[in-house]
Amino acid sequence: MWKAISQLLAEQFGSYYTIKSKTPIEDGEMHQAWIIDDGNIPVFVKINDKAYRSMFRAEADQLELLAKSGTVRVPRVYGVGCTENISFLLLESLSLTPIPSNKMAELGAQLASLHTSGSNKEYGLDYDTWLGPVYQPNAWAKNWSTFFSENRIGWQLQICKEKNIYFGHFEDIISAVAFHLSKYQPIPALLHGAFYHKNFGICSNENEGNEIVLYDPACYWGDAECDLALAELFNDLTPEFYQAYNGINPLYKGYQQRRPLYQLYYLLNFSHRFGGRYIKQAADIIQMLEE
C-alpha cells in the first residue's frame, strides 16, 4: 500500500516521494488516517477497504468543485488510488485551529460568495455523495420542496426505519415537509453541505497567511440556508458573520421558520448514527410539523 501511495505522489509531484515518517491520527467514524512525510511535503492520507474508493473519489471531486468556485480554500487533492484490498485518498496536510471571532466576518463573506457562485437551475449534483458515512442521493430535481422532502428527509427516515427508529407515518412526514416548502423556490446555491465548526478552521501552515480552510464536504446544489442551519445547530454564528454574509447574499424572509426543517435532515442523520438526544430533537421538529 505505501509503495502505491509513494508512486502516486511521485507522479503528482514530478519527483520521487520516499516516505520517511508515518504518523497515525484519529479521523472520525470510518477511516484510518495518517500523515506521511518525505522530509519536504507532508501528506494527509485516508485509508479504508477497496470498496470505499468511490467515497474517496466523491470527496476528491467535491473538494475540486469547491476549489474551482474560486471562493473558498480547501485542501489540495493529490490523488485517489487503490491496491488489491485497500483504497486511499491523498490530501494536502494542513495544520488547522478553530476560527477566532475576528475571522468570522471573513468566513461569512466566503460562504456567501460560494453560495452565489455558478448559475445552476436545478437542485442536486451530477453524482451522489455522503454525509459522514451515510450515502446522500443527489438526483437532479426542478422543484426544491420535492428534492428536499424526498432526497433528504424521506431518505433519512428510511434509514432510521431500517435501524428500528420510528418517528411516525413515513408519507405523512414527507408530505408535511413538502407542504411547508411548497411556495418556496430558492435560487440553487452550491453548498458545502456539512458546514459546521468541525469542518472549517484556520490554516497556520507557514506562508498560508492564516487562511480559512473548509474540508469534509457533502456538496450539492440546494438552498443556501441549509449550510447556515447546520452551523446553528451546534454553535451560534456571530453578528459579524451574518453582517458579512447578508452583505453578499441576503437571507430570504422566513428563514427562521425553514431552519428547523433543514436541521431535521441532519438530526435524522445523527439519530441513526449516534442516537441519544438527536432522536428527541428530531421528534420535536416532526411534532411541530404535524401541529
Side-chain angles (χ1 to χ4, degrees), residues 104-105 107-109 111 195 228 237-246:
M104 290 302 291
L107 177 64
L111 185 67
F195 183 80
L228 301 175
L237 297 169
T238 66
E240 292 79 9
F241 174 96
Y242 282 111
Q243 183 176 4
Y245 184 92
N246 283 311

Side-chain angles (χ1 to χ4, degrees), residues 80-142:
V80 177
C82 63
T83 63
E84 185 176 351
N85 299 310
I86 298 296
S87 60
F88 52 85
L89 170 64
L90 308 178
L91 301 174
E92 178 183 16
S93 178
L94 299 172
S95 177
L96 298 172
T97 57
I99 294 181
S101 59
N102 65 357
K103 282 282 190 175
M104 290 302 291
E106 184 178 339
L107 177 64
Q110 288 187 10
L111 185 67
S113 296
L114 173 66
H115 288 166
T116 53
S117 66
S119 56
N120 212 290
K121 302 300 182 184
E122 296 187 6
Y123 308 101
L125 197 65
D126 286 333
Y127 50 92
D128 295 329
T129 53
W130 280 260
L131 180 61
V134 182
Y135 186 72
Q136 178 174 262
N138 292 323
W140 291 104
K142 294 181 179 180

Side-chain angles (χ1 to χ4, degrees), residues 153 157 167-168 173 176 264 268 281-291:
I153 301 303
L157 286 170
F167 292 97
I173 298 170
L264 178 60
L268 291 172
Q281 288 178 273
D284 288 345
I285 293 175
I286 290 170
Q287 182 179 0
M288 176 195 71
L289 285 174
E290 296 175 337
E291 289 177 351

Side-chain angles (χ1 to χ4, degrees), residues 20 22 125 132 149 151 161 166 180 201 220 226 231 257 261:
K20 295 182 178 179
K22 298 190 290 283
L125 197 65
S149 62
N151 285 4
K161 181 180 178 182
Y166 299 95
H180 280 275
Y220 65 100
C226 292
Q257 288 70 48
L261 299 181

